[in-house]
């Protein structure tokens, strides 16, 4: 999936002042963002997060997932580090889209887990594509990542694209009674590394 660079600007946030870079898929016109902080031309591996859009979690404070919590913790971690990148990818609901995500949530309300709900709708458990990251990182001159993720498939997908993952950095945030089943399914069916920490605070990012 090829993307072209469009434009950059400054983006003040509660965590720090980032540079925001816009990219567009050449075939579909779908838009993606990268937020960067600090020097991009260093050879040192860069703290990084690839974050797939989750409107319900990122913007509407949903506690059904941990997405919004992870987004905020990633930005907070980059700000503490003083250097990093967050790639915000427009692929809602693991790639099934917002309205199908609502349909999947309804099936979960009726007893399906997150993987079963996708499959009942005729989708694979995870349709996300990370190939746009290669062009985004190439444009910005970033060669090596310290990737914040709990998802082994994401690490593998990026490495298969030729992106160097120097380190996998755990990212735990937002565990709460509403997403216990969701997290358990990610661990048991999708292989996520979900080490628990006593200092996890589901309200820390709200």
């Amino acid at each position: 999936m090829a993307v072209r660079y469009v434009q950059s600007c400054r983006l003040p946030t509660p965590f720090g002042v980032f540079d925001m870079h816009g990219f567009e898929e050449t075939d579909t016109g779908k838009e993606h963002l990268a937020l960067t902080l600090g020097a991009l031309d260093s050879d040192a591996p860069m703290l990084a997060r690839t974050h797939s859009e989750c409107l319900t979690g990122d913007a509407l404070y949903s506690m059904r997932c941990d997405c919004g919590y992870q987004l905020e913790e990633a930005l907070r971690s980059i700000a503490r580090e003083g250097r990093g990148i967050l790639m915000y990818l427009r692929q809602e609901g693991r790639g099934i889209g917002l309205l199908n995500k609502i349909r999947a949530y309804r099936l979960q309300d009726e007893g399906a887990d997150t993987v079963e709900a996708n499959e009942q709708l005729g989708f694979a458990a995870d349709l996300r594509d990370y190939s746009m990251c290669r062009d985004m990182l190439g444009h910005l001159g970033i060669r090596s990542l310290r990737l914040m993720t709990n998802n082994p498939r994401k690490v593998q997908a990026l490495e298969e694209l030729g992106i160097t993952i120097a380190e996998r950095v755990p990212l735990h945030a937002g565990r709460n009674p509403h997403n216990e089943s969701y997290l358990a399914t990610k661990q048991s069916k999708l292989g996520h590394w979900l080490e628990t920490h006593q200092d996890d605070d589901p309200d820390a990012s709200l």
Side-chain angles (χ1 to χ4, degrees), residues 169-190:
V169 180
L171 182 62
H172 301 292
R175 182 182 291 272
N176 68 77
H178 300 282
N179 65 22
E180 284 288 353
S181 175
Y182 165 84
L183 294 175
T185 299
K186 287 209 297 187
Q187 184 172 35
S188 64
K189 292 192 174 182
L190 300 176

Side-chain angles (χ1 to χ4, degrees), residues 47-52 67 70-71 74 78 85-88 146-150 154 171:
L47 188 63
R49 167 76 176 163
T50 64
H51 187 91
S52 295
C67 303
Q70 288 189 325
L71 175 62
I78 290 170
I85 179 170
L86 185 140
M87 289 171 281
Y88 195 87
R146 295 170 50 233
L147 186 67
M148 291 184 280
T149 186
N150 306 321
K154 185 182 293 185
L171 182 62

Side-chain angles (χ1 to χ4, degrees), residues 113-142:
D113 66 33
T114 181
V115 170
E116 292 166 346
N118 273 26
E119 291 173 343
Q120 288 177 33
L121 291 172
F123 299 110
D126 193 339
L127 293 174
R128 287 176 293 182
D129 181 354
Y130 299 101
S131 57
M132 71 286 285
C133 297
R134 179 173 49 201
D135 287 351
M136 294 166 76
L137 292 169
H139 173 81
L140 295 169
I142 298 169

Side-chain angles (χ1 to χ4, degrees), residues 44-51 66 70-71 73-81 83-86 144-152 154-156 158-159 164-173 192-195 197:
M46 193 171 210
L47 188 63
R49 167 76 176 163
T50 64
H51 187 91
D66 56 351
Q70 288 189 325
L71 175 62
E73 183 58 30
L75 291 172
R76 189 176 289 112
S77 296
I78 290 170
R80 283 196 298 262
E81 182 98 354
R83 178 174 177 265
I85 179 170
L86 185 140
S144 178
L145 305 180
R146 295 170 50 233
L147 186 67
M148 291 184 280
T149 186
N150 306 321
N151 184 353
K154 185 182 293 185
V155 175
Q156 180 181 355
L158 293 175
E159 288 181 333
T164 300
I165 308 300
E167 179 185 358
R168 198 274 298 188
V169 180
L171 182 62
H172 301 292
H192 286 217
W193 298 295
L194 291 180
E195 305 96 327
H197 299 277

